[in-house]
Amino acid sequence: MKHYLSINDVDSLPAWVEEAITLKQNPLQDNALGKGKTICLLFFNNSLRTRLSTQKAAMNLGMEVMVMNFGSEGWILEYEDGTIMDQGTSEHIKEAARVVSQYCNVVAIRAFAKLKDKAKDEAEEVLTGFAKYASVPVVNMESSTAHPLQALADAITLKEFNTKINPKVVLSWAPHPKALPHAVANSFVEMMKLQNANFVITHPEGYELNSEITKGCTIEHDQKRALENADFVYVKNWSSYSEYGKVLKQDSSWMMTQAKLGGAKFMHCLPVRRNVVVEDAVLDGDQSLVVHQANNRTFSAQIVLKKILESL
Amino acid sequence: MKHYLSINDVDSLPAWVEEAITLKQNPLQDNALGKGKTICLLFFNNSLRTRLSTQKAAMNLGMEVMVMNFGSEGWILEYEDGTIMDQGTSEHIKEAARVVSQYCNVVAIRAFAKLKDKAKDEAEEVLTGFAKYASVPVVNMESSTAHPLQALADAITLKEFNTKINPKVVLSWAPHPKALPHAVANSFVEMMKLQNANFVITHPEGYELNSEITKGCTIEHDQKRALENADFVYVKNWSSYSEYGKVLKQDSSWMMTQAKLGGAKFMHCLPVRRNVVVEDAVLDGDQSLVVHQANNRTFSAQIVLKKILESL
Amino acid sequence: MKHYLSINDVDSLPAWVEEAITLKQNPLQDNALGKGKTICLLFFNNSLRTRLSTQKAAMNLGMEVMVMNFGSEGWILEYEDGTIMDQGTSEHIKEAARVVSQYCNVVAIRAFAKLKDKAKDEAEEVLTGFAKYASVPVVNMESSTAHPLQALADAITLKEFNTKINPKVVLSWAPHPKALPHAVANSFVEMMKLQNANFVITHPEGYELNSEITKGCTIEHDQKRALENADFVYVKNWSSYSEYGKVLKQDSSWMMTQAKLGGAKFMHCLPVRRNVVVEDAVLDGDQSLVVHQANNRTFSAQIVLKKILESL
């Protein structure tokens, strides 16, 4: 594996999930693998879980870690070719990516969608720019359109808690006061397409995700019907994709409640707004897997870094 | 020891001070103790000494360290139960504390008093929230009402420089242009109550500290009388506690001078405003212990972390 | 060597360059030298290369690293003696430098020129303050008037790519939309004065550097004539020194082009504004050494830290 940009960079999801669960039993088992190797975590946006779990995973592997908030600590990057750089940007991605590559063995990048310009967000200029010009492997710590470390952690969590051959897994949209990106939902959908499951996506009309990603998935606009007999309910807000970045609906009727959840397990990537996205009773109850999911972020990062280190 | 939230979490102050002085002779003696263990330092406020000395202490013990500026790098936390989180906060302390606990073996927190609402500051929502929901030990790196790592460093410094059975130790208020919290003064008072000393607190009227903390202490409003025959003078500004967070007095008559100090040793937690809190002559003279106190911050953190690691 | 504040702190440039090239072959060869030693990197300004390469160099030597953004994470420092500190500054350099020294074995400082007040910039209050009051060696990670880690990296790069006994090296001013400091140019000139080379400085009239630094150097205001038969062309913008901090000229006629460059190697310290300072064709061509220069930042920092560690 050269880069880890998408969940589709996993060659065998079941094998990786199995291996991640094994190393979770003994997180320091590969502590010699990363000796003398360095990872550089570059944050263009805020982070709690990703920041700490990716550091932890790298340290478990014996790597050295350098963390940098690119926006506030570095220089504003230019991504366009041929620009006369006499305005706000001070350094081109071509130089930045090549230079950073020389100080580490792996670069990990977080750069969210700005939700102003669909084409620009889908071009993934930060992640793609680093992947194109870096001379070392690049790991996606959430880009405009994908969050594959989260999706891999979710796959691990599903494996740990699933008891059925063909569980019913529902991805349900939820309300949120701010416009949020599609990255988590996209990667969850892509990951589910690699699984055996009865997978249903439910959201109000107007909240269709990118149809290239959801192609082949069941989409149900009636949340109640979608949730019937669900084994796992993954809740997440996203803004409109067709009316790009718009918040079309805020009413609380789509909030997840214990009553709606029934006997299903509840999943969310966090951070989560209580009593907006999901009611307290769900998060405070036994069916919530959110803390397990967050724990598995360490092991999804660790399996990805392990695979990269093995291929160096 | 589960958490280190207050100087009263020390089971035997003389024993800890003794042990800290011993490990100061050979700071790397317990370098194997923290191997494979991680501490996460979460800063909700600025820090120089605490940031560096706590890192240093953890590294001396062989631990891995992750440092995070929670405010600028993470998400704004909610602390109230039952809130409909449709406003500025994006993540609840319940999730944040549980999640962070999974990435490390110890969490250390700095969260100052905001000095707007006494009840809220005294509720210590950040520190108490982490202590309540974290599944790992929590260390107080200065909270709204306490700074027990500083107080422990001060106890070490007093021990190193004291030559008497019953030294006279004076805590003297000093002027300052900004409203400052009570945390350092509170913990110093609590620490002195665990010591054999003739301890006197002096401040202008209106600057009484929380009477639950100063209960049993001698309070003297005449600074000159308080300082008579002092062996150690600990100078610190704090804002009014009764008129909560107000600056009642700024005149320089309470500034510490070499003349007032006499033959006593001078102590301050730093940072200190020269020629406002204390005149240059004191800080530049031989009686100042401020740099020694700052050095002992490493060893107060190290003894606390050592005790925690031993109890894991 | 006590401190590394200027390229003139190098006792023998050829010997250091040779040793740096040797350790570049095996960067971990001195990994035991820094064991149990700590470096503290204090940033008063943004940084990409310096931040990462200095960390990397320290880690290659087995040191522990603490990184701190002094401005946003610490306290605002006072540098003047005798000030009544009742305004914006909260801590004096005397305390800060002494205190930080106790938490590490080496302190490295980045503090740019503010370009408002020549005398103040030339006093180098931050760097000089730390060097004066710190009890450990201080490394300059770019100060108001000097960037000796860059100049040393440039010397390494010149050595690696030079094939002549007496190469022609040209330092050429280039346009830039913002007023930039003189530090890189100053240290490059000082470094060239320690080399055998035909060294020419070219810039428009009004852009003369500090004449104490350029004393003895050839200055040519005709860029075309300066570039004739050049082997290496080092391009860099700086603001006016005589009309201190002013941008006198922005027209693009001084931009470096492939046509002007001829067969010479192109050098720049980065970050560089494409098509303002230098055209794309140069940076994207084979004659550009900028990525090599950035790589050598690790080894210039590593040789400096090695010399310091050997002298502790």
Side-chain angles (χ1 to χ4, degrees), chain C residues 173-175 223 235 251-257 260 273-280:
Chain C
W173 182 92
Q223 191 191 34
V235 174
D251 78 272
S252 62
S253 66
W254 278 78
M255 180 175 78
M256 187 53 49
T257 62
K260 287 185 193 176
R273 286 172 178 251
R274 285 175 166 249
N275 304 312
V276 175
V277 169
V278 52
E279 65 173 6
D280 279 338

Side-chain angles (χ1 to χ4, degrees), chain B residues 105-130:
Chain B
N105 304 92
V106 184
V107 181
I109 311 278
R110 164 163 284 201
F112 290 171
K114 295 202 169 72
L115 296 177
K116 303 285 180 201
D117 177 335
K118 187 191 283 196
K120 207 164 172 162
D121 283 348
E122 299 202 329
E124 293 278 17
E125 57 185 14
V126 186
L127 186 73
T128 305
F130 274 94

Side-chain angles (χ1 to χ4, degrees), chain C residues 216-237:
Chain C
C217 297
T218 304
I219 296 169
E220 168 60 64
H221 291 126
D222 180 337
Q223 191 191 34
K224 195 178 167 190
R225 196 179 311 161
L227 294 173
E228 277 170 14
N229 301 312
D231 294 296
F232 295 91
V233 179
Y234 199 103
V235 174
K236 182 74 187 81
N237 168 270

Side-chain angles (χ1 to χ4, degrees), chain B:
Chain B
M1 183 174 58
K2 169 71 179 168
H3 302 305
Y4 184 68
L5 306 181
S6 148
I7 189 73
N8 292 314
D9 290 325
V10 175
D11 54 14
S12 163
L13 185 61
W16 284 42
V17 165
E18 208 61 64
E19 191 170 342
I21 290 171
T22 304
L23 61 80
K24 187 175 175 177
Q25 308 312 311
N26 182 8
L28 300 178
Q29 69 183 43
D30 301 304
N31 200 255
L33 187 62
K35 187 123 174 54
K37 299 284 192 295
T38 303
I39 187 169
C40 188
L41 311 186
L42 301 182
F43 289 94
F44 292 77
N45 297 96
N46 282 21
S47 172
L48 170 59
R49 275 152 287 277
T50 299
R51 179 181 294 268
L52 298 180
S53 65
T54 313
Q55 275 187 78
K56 179 72 177 168
M59 298 187 313
N60 281 347
L61 290 164
M63 301 182 84
E64 306 269 17
V65 183
M66 300 194 286
V67 180
M68 181 171 171
N69 299 309
F70 213 95
S72 61
E73 297 175 341
W75 310 112
I76 302 176
L77 295 186
E78 176 64 43
Y79 300 94
E80 300 290 330
D81 273 353
T83 312
I84 297 172
M85 288 170 58
D86 58 1
Q87 299 298 316
T89 57
S90 340
E91 177 149 30
H92 200 281
I93 180 69
K94 290 187 184 180
E95 274 73 57
R98 285 172 182 145
V99 163
V100 170
S101 300
Q102 299 183 114
Y103 305 140
C104 57
N105 304 92
V106 184
V107 181
I109 311 278
R110 164 163 284 201
F112 290 171
K114 295 202 169 72
L115 296 177
K116 303 285 180 201
D117 177 335
K118 187 191 283 196
K120 207 164 172 162
D121 283 348
E122 299 202 329
E124 293 278 17
E125 57 185 14
V126 186
L127 186 73
T128 305
F130 274 94
K132 183 170 178 186
Y133 295 111
S135 53
V136 297
V138 172
V139 172
N140 183 348
M141 296 197 296
E142 187 174 343
S143 66
S144 295
T145 67
H147 195 357
L149 288 174
Q150 181 63 52
L152 184 50
D154 296 336
I156 298 168
T157 310
L158 282 171
K159 175 71 182 175
E160 290 179 317
F161 287 89
N162 180 39
T163 55
K164 296 189 177 172
I165 290 164
N166 199 42
K168 182 173 181 185
V169 179
V170 181
L171 170 63
S172 179
W173 182 91
H176 195 283
K178 290 171 66 181
L180 295 188
H182 310 90
V184 169
N186 286 347
S187 290
F188 187 77
V189 171
E190 291 179 313
M191 181 273 288
M192 286 309 300
K193 289 162 79 172
L194 304 173
Q195 299 263 6
N196 287 326
N198 170 12
F199 179 52
V200 179
I201 305 171
T202 183
H203 53 70
E205 293 194 42
Y207 276 102
E208 285 70 22
L209 292 163
N210 182 347
S211 60
E212 288 181 42
I213 291 171
T214 58
K215 193 164 46 185
C217 297
T218 305
I219 296 168
E220 167 61 65
H221 291 126
D222 180 337
Q223 190 192 34
K224 194 177 167 191
R225 197 179 313 161
L227 294 172
E228 277 170 13
N229 300 312
D231 295 295
F232 296 90
V233 179
Y234 200 103
V235 174
K236 181 74 186 82
N237 169 269
W238 57 86
S239 57
S240 177
Y241 181 74
S242 51
E243 297 187 46
Y244 193 68
K246 291 250 164 60
V247 175
L248 307 178
K249 191 179 174 70
Q250 287 222 33
D251 80 271
S252 63
S253 67
W254 277 78
M255 180 175 80
M256 186 54 48
T257 62
Q258 186 62 44
K260 287 184 193 177
L261 188 64
K265 299 290 188 189
F266 173 78
M267 299 179 75
H268 190 283
C269 60
L270 304 179
V272 69
R273 288 173 175 250
R274 285 175 165 249
N275 304 311
V276 176
V277 169
V278 52
E279 67 173 5
D280 279 338
V282 173
L283 286 166
D284 295 333
D286 290 343
Q287 290 160 249
S288 172
L289 304 183
V290 299
V291 176
H292 296 280
Q293 287 172 268
N295 190 30
N296 283 332
R297 291 296 308 278
T298 301
F299 306 103
S300 73
Q302 194 166 332
I303 188 74
V304 167
L305 295 179
K306 183 183 175 184
K307 296 289 185 185
I308 287 174
L309 288 171
E310 287 172 346
S311 72
L312 285 183

Side-chain angles (χ1 to χ4, degrees), chain C residues 62-90:
Chain C
M63 301 181 82
E64 305 268 17
V65 184
M66 299 194 287
V67 181
M68 183 172 168
N69 299 308
F70 213 94
S72 61
E73 297 175 342
W75 311 111
I76 301 176
L77 296 185
E78 176 64 44
Y79 300 94
E80 301 289 330
D81 273 353
T83 314
I84 297 172
M85 288 171 56
D86 57 2
Q87 299 298 317
T89 58
S90 338

Side-chain angles (χ1 to χ4, degrees), chain A residues 35-36 38 40 42 64-68 70-75 81-92 94-96 98-100 102-105, chain C residues 28 31 45-53 55-56 59 63 69 73 110 112 177 270-276 280 283-284 290-295 297-298:
Chain A
K35 185 121 176 58
T38 303
C40 188
L42 302 182
E64 305 269 17
V65 183
M66 299 195 286
V67 181
M68 181 171 170
F70 213 95
S72 61
E73 297 174 341
W75 311 111
D81 272 354
T83 314
I84 297 172
M85 289 170 56
D86 58 1
Q87 299 299 316
T89 58
S90 338
E91 177 149 31
H92 201 282
K94 290 186 186 183
E95 275 72 57
R98 286 172 181 144
V99 163
V100 170
Q102 299 182 112
Y103 304 140
C104 57
N105 304 91
Chain C
L28 300 178
N31 199 255
N45 297 95
N46 282 23
S47 173
L48 170 59
R49 275 152 287 278
T50 300
R51 179 182 296 268
L52 298 180
S53 66
Q55 275 188 77
K56 178 73 176 169
M59 297 187 315
M63 301 181 82
N69 299 308
E73 297 175 342
R110 163 163 284 200
F112 291 171
L270 305 183
V272 68
R273 286 172 178 251
R274 285 175 166 249
N275 304 312
V276 175
D280 279 338
L283 285 166
D284 294 333
V290 299
V291 176
H292 296 280
Q293 287 172 269
N295 190 28
R297 292 295 309 277
T298 300

Side-chain angles (χ1 to χ4, degrees), chain A residues 248-263:
Chain A
L248 307 178
K249 192 180 172 72
Q250 288 221 33
D251 80 90
S252 62
S253 67
W254 277 77
M255 180 175 80
M256 187 54 48
T257 62
Q258 186 62 45
K260 288 185 193 177
L261 188 63

Side-chain angles (χ1 to χ4, degrees), chain A residues 204-218:
Chain A
E205 293 193 44
Y207 275 103
E208 284 70 22
L209 292 163
N210 183 346
S211 60
E212 289 181 42
I213 291 172
T214 57
K215 193 164 46 187
C217 296
T218 304

